[in-house]
Amino acid sequence: MDLLSAQAVSSYLERSPALHLVDGVLLDEGPGDDVIDPATGAACARGPGASRALLDRAVAAAARAQPAWAATPVEQRRAALLALAGVLRESADILAALLTLEQGRPLARTRDEVLRAATLLEAVVQIGLDPDLLRDDARGRVFMLHRALGVVGAIAPWNVPVGLAVPKIVHALYTGNTIVLKPSPYTPLATLKLGEFARDLFPPGVLNIVAGSNALGEWMSIHPGIDKLSVTGSVATGKKVMASAAGNLKRLTLELGGNDAAIVLPDARIDEVAPALFAAAFVNSGQVCMAVKRLFVPAALHDELCDALSSLARRVIVGPGFDPASELGPVQNRPQYDAVRRVLDDTRSRLGAQLHAGGQARPGGGYFIEPTVVSGLAEGCPLVDEETFGPVLPVLSYRTENEAVERANQGRLGLGASLWTRDIDRARQLGGRLIAGTVWVNRHVGADAEVPFGGARESGIGQQFGRAGLLDCMQSTALYLPARTEAV
Ligand code: NAD
């Protein structure tokens, strides 16, 4: 099937619409909202919209299926999930085309998203779930046993739809839970199609995918049949979910916003670090939770770095994701596009602000904004203090490393941070002072399957990946046994 244009993908969806997956059955309940192609601003497909009754059916199916799934030997759960990785790889072209249509990124990038999800999945299911032996001495033995929680609800955002949904499926199902997954209303198509392609891999009710508006997310938050919610989204949504999840004290994993700082140290060579910093700031047109969103640079290197980043920004080709020449796509949706333009307007009005490259929204229907490098700002304005989530990077000049670390630590967020230097010992010292869930040295962005990923402060609660991420989906029980020698 040749899905190399928006028209081709839209007509494929007319012949084969994206449907909910509930209890092993594909359902056409809806209609949901139009899905908008961000490259044109026009409707390109219609997603289904789940009612509250359909959510109830999905949760009931997940609850029915859960005990048998938890009792299935872990090797079989692992095998079913490895088969899901196979489905991701086999259907990478079609899933990538759907992602490019709804999310906007160039095809090569959305294909990477699907393949990387498969690779992460394969690594996560190699992590052991055995009990921990905490003590074995004259006082006795203590084991920590880990068992599934029950039904996991998962709520995903629009910036990396499949790449962020698949880890939620893997964490929940590998640990013996069943799942009801909701993609973003902006990007439901690829996730629903993944459910269709994978529906025979699991017993009915184990994997359920229902699409709908933000209200569906709220219904999930208050649903008494959901034992745990894993949400990736904005801080505002995370707070609402936390409040409404109180009814049955749902376990929560919240992966929320970031305003990540990258600190270039005085010994860094600008020609070496600029391309990697540019990529880490403008990946997915800045719409990545852990993208570089504040760039601190010593005053002596400031102009050189601004020049290097600006020339990269001028060279990068921004365009529709189906154009093979495009390197960056549009902002994904209209409200986000308007929000980024408001930040640009505010930035232009600030005394001292200098826009080195970009700064313009492109005329026409699509949500294109040129990669923008800004200097001359400090704390006290939205571009620096808040998460912009778009292709606009502030470069902030500093005098001492202490000052840079203190300023990087300002604010309510703490997702990631990075240091750029040839002095790794110094990076290690400073890295321990940065308040963030992840600190990288000479790189930024990326999570590995065996390394827990989560946010400090309001960037989140709990973790994904690593054994800690899997245990976030489990209830632990301390089992005290008498000492081996003790007569019973
Ligand atoms: P969003 O919060 O608007 O939406 C995320 C999901 O939550 C969507 O499925 C939406 O329908 C649902 N939702 C909205 N309101 C809800 C409510 N009241 N109750 C329950 N669910 C609700 O976020 P977004 O705009 O889709 O995504 C961008 C945000 O996500 C950014 O802040 C970004 O930093 C963050 N993000 C974080 C991570 C991470 O791992 N920490 C990864 C990607 C994105």
Side-chain angles (χ1 to χ4, degrees), residues 154-160 164 168 182-187 212-221 229 231-238 240-241 244 254-259 287-290 293 333 336 387 389 415 453-455 459-460 464:
I155 298 180
W158 47 257
N159 61 327
V160 188
L164 293 169
K168 294 188 188 301
K182 183 192 103 60
S184 165
Y186 292 111
T187 54
S213 62
N214 294 348
L216 177 61
E218 290 178 43
W219 300 334
M220 290 172 72
S221 313
L229 265 180
V231 180
T232 302
S234 61
V235 173
T237 295
K240 286 184 201 158
V241 166
S244 40
L254 302 178
E255 304 271 351
L256 308 177
N259 196 17
Q287 303 166 108
V288 170
C289 55
M290 53 178 139
K293 293 176 185 141
N333 60 69
Q336 188 61 26
E387 177 186 46
F389 221 59
L415 193 59
F453 178 84
S459 285
Q464 283 199 122

